[in-house]
Amino acid sequence: MFSYVSTRGKAPHLDFTGATLTGLARDGGLYVPETSPSLSSADLPNMAHQAYLEVAWRVTLPFVEGAISPADLIKILKAAYKSFNHQDITPLRQIGDNFYLLELFHGPTLAFKDVALQFLGQVFDHILARTKQKVTIVGATSGDTGSAAIEAFKGKDNANIFILHPHNRVSEVQRRQMTTVLAPNVFNIAIEGSFDDCQDLVKAMFNDQVFRDDLQLSAINSINWARILAQVVYYVFAAARVGKPVAFCVPTGNFGNVYAGYVARSMGVPVEKLIVATNRNDILHRFFETGKMQTEGVVPSLSPSMDIQVSSNFERLLLNLYGGDGGAVEKTMKLDPHTAVGVGVAEEYRKKNPDSVIVSLATAHPAKFPEAVKKAIGIEPELPAQLADLYQRQEKYEVMSANLARVQQFVRERVKM
Ligand SMILES: *Cc1c(COP(=O)(O)O)cnc(C)c1O
């Protein structure tokens, strides 16, 4: 059996299914593999010509040993990625000399979180069908995780899913992607408060041991190891296709995605560098979140020449980074805002390391953030065919104050039904 240990060292060792169902370890730690499986020297050259599913099977197999059979793993992977609308699942596109974009947005909700959550949904299905268990999934979302999780669990007999989002604080596309799913096991709760309020409510439900055990609560946030594992695959896939040591540039929030790159590296993938692209605490960050350029007062720092709020120069900067190629800037700005941050950072890295091969991760489709993209380039990106009628679809959600007892009562009543 391949075994997982808690980062805090006090929770029991578990196999893959145990670690997946448990999510957060009982000692408050996160589950990690006890040892690191390696790829053989022949694996990567072989994978250069393999389909995504073949690579996925080879990469994930050692991590599920003793918990999921090789044949079942094939079924799980096939089912997980059948809803992607590109045959390569995560196609690698060359956008310059030694410069690639890894497109992670071809899943049902147009963000990279589908790669992980579609896999997680199938793993849950497999485990719960065998053990005849039924679980209650509760999660908080600031936008993308919620819809990806709902898509992965909608209509499943063995799970009810409750997703809390901050009322009026997610984009309309993001809200509609969650609230127009009318499957009877899906419940959207708009909390009158912030994302932090939503996350606090979810944590409080997990910390209520009676509630947790009564309802068989399960977590789908990025602490879940199965999500990380699914993301390791596309690093291996991309590195194999490039065929040389490569630097990955990753637009980063909770560090889940870039950590998956670290796991790929520890398996022997020649990762020259993992570039953590953040947009923390500046006006561009807020611009990308809300689509609004809004000043909030200057915060003095030790580098006062940089204490500037209105970043109308972002396009200039991008133009510089592209060596004056305006066409490239336009193309970049057509990327979704998160991807654009990654590409901007990658360009900077390329200037300093001209011999490096870079793969920058495209984490969402531009149509997920139409306001931000329209503000930047004046063009509203179109939703792909499967979501073309999103604005006409009926919505279903509850608006609730950030009151734990009220939310718990709502969940209890719905699970009983
Ligand atoms: C979640 C998300 C991120 C951040 O990913 P982490 O794994 O939290 O670092 C970046 N871009 C998009 C579009 C996302 O949805």
Side-chain angles (χ1 to χ4, degrees):
M1 175 191 100
F2 188 80
S3 161
Y4 291 83
V5 295
S6 165
T7 48
R8 306 216 179 149
K10 294 209 179 82
H13 293 204
L14 296 175
D15 70 357
F16 175 75
T17 54
T20 301
L21 280 186
T22 306
L24 192 69
R26 292 262 166 193
D27 61 3
L30 305 186
Y31 275 103
V32 292
E34 190 172 32
T35 56
S36 182
S38 344
L39 297 167
S40 76
S41 57
D43 276 327
L44 273 192
N46 286 341
M47 287 174 182
H49 310 288
Q50 287 178 354
Y52 188 90
L53 290 185
E54 288 177 89
V55 175
W57 185 77
R58 171 67 189 90
V59 171
T60 51
L61 187 60
F63 289 96
V64 305
E65 196 218 309
I68 295 177
S69 76
D72 284 342
L73 183 61
I74 293 176
K75 285 188 210 148
I76 287 170
L77 289 167
K78 274 194 180 153
Y81 297 114
K82 69 173 188 297
S83 60
F84 279 59
N85 64 10
H86 195 290
Q87 63 169 18
D88 279 349
I89 312 299
T90 64
L92 187 67
R93 215 154 57 85
Q94 186 154 16
I95 55 170
D97 275 348
N98 287 335
F99 194 16
Y100 299 83
L101 205 57
L102 183 58
E103 295 185 349
L104 304 176
F105 53 74
H106 292 279
T109 72
L110 313 180
F112 82 93
K113 295 192 169 69
D114 287 324
V115 180
L117 281 159
Q118 286 292 324
F119 178 69
L120 186 70
Q122 294 302 328
V123 169
F124 264 71
D125 222 22
H126 174 80
I127 301 171
L128 297 174
R130 264 191 332 185
T131 57
K132 305 227 179 343
Q133 269 175 287
K134 191 159 177 172
V135 294
T136 304
I137 289 162
V138 286
T141 187
S142 56
D144 292 332
T145 299
S147 58
I150 286 170
E151 265 317 306
F153 285 93
K154 69 178 182 190
K156 295 211 185 298
D157 295 332
N158 42 27
N160 284 300
I161 177 163
F162 296 82
I163 296 293
L164 281 57
H165 72 265
H167 189 40
N168 291 334
R169 296 196 198 183
V170 299
S171 83
E172 187 172 3
V173 175
Q174 289 176 322
R175 188 192 72 237
R176 284 181 165 276
Q177 282 187 308
M178 298 188 278
T179 59
T180 59
V181 177
L182 304 178
N185 69 329
V186 172
F187 302 94
N188 280 287
I189 304 175
I191 295 292
E192 292 171 323
S194 64
F195 169 64
D196 287 332
D197 293 326
C198 298
Q199 207 158 31
D200 288 347
L201 287 165
V202 169
K203 275 191 205 144
M205 285 190 264
F206 272 92
N207 286 333
D208 179 339
Q209 298 296 335
V210 175
F211 186 78
R212 179 176 178 160
D213 292 340
D214 272 3
L215 296 175
Q216 294 285 312
L217 287 199
S218 241
I220 41 80
N221 55 11
S222 60
I223 57 163
N224 198 304
W225 168 257
R227 280 184 61 176
I228 304 288
L229 178 57
Q231 293 173 215
V232 175
V233 173
Y234 51 70
Y235 285 93
V236 181
F237 177 79
R241 296 221 158 180
V242 170
K244 292 183 211 162
V246 31
F248 285 97
C249 185
V250 190
T252 298
N254 265 332
F255 216 76
N257 204 7
V258 70
Y259 177 69
Y262 177 80
V263 175
R265 186 165 158 249
S266 59
M267 292 180 78
V269 175
V271 177
E272 185 185 274
K273 203 124 212 158
L274 288 165
I275 305 162
V276 178
T278 68
N279 53 10
R280 205 180 137 81
N281 195 31
D282 63 10
I283 190 160
L284 289 171
H285 170 68
R286 281 182 279 118
F287 169 66
F288 290 139
E289 291 287 298
T290 64
K292 292 192 190 104
M293 272 283 176
Q294 218 165 49
T295 56
E296 286 193 354
V298 175
V299 182
S301 79
L302 292 176
S303 50
S305 304
M306 291 166 63
D307 294 343
I308 293 164
Q309 277 290 311
V310 182
S311 292
S312 52
N313 280 303
F314 183 55
E315 280 218 39
R316 282 216 181 99
L317 170 69
L318 271 180
L319 191 63
N320 279 349
L321 296 174
Y322 272 115
D325 179 351
V329 172
E330 203 201 326
K331 263 205 299 215
T332 299
M333 296 306 286
K334 274 189 185 158
L335 302 170
D336 103 281
H338 308 80
T339 304
V341 170
V343 169
V345 171
E347 283 288 1
E348 208 158 353
Y349 182 81
R350 260 154 63 81
K351 275 204 308 200
K352 292 180 199 139
N353 305 273
D355 297 329
S356 285
V357 182
I358 298 211
V359 174
S360 201
L361 273 54
T363 49
H365 189 286
K368 277 208 98 152
F369 304 91
E371 288 167 48
V373 175
K374 185 157 188 211
K375 267 245 156 73
I377 59 164
I379 300 169
E380 193 152 340
E382 268 178 39
L383 285 164
Q386 83 262 25
L387 289 170
D389 66 342
L390 187 65
Y391 286 89
Q392 280 80 55
R393 292 183 196 168
Q394 186 195 340
E395 292 188 80
K396 184 186 108 182
Y397 64 103
E398 299 288 322
V399 181
M400 247 176 247
S401 59
N403 177 316
L404 177 64
R406 174 80 193 87
V407 175
Q408 284 183 312
Q409 187 197 349
F410 179 85
V411 173
R412 268 190 193 282
E413 285 169 5
R414 297 305 175 290
V415 168
K416 270 209 212 94
M417 277 166 26

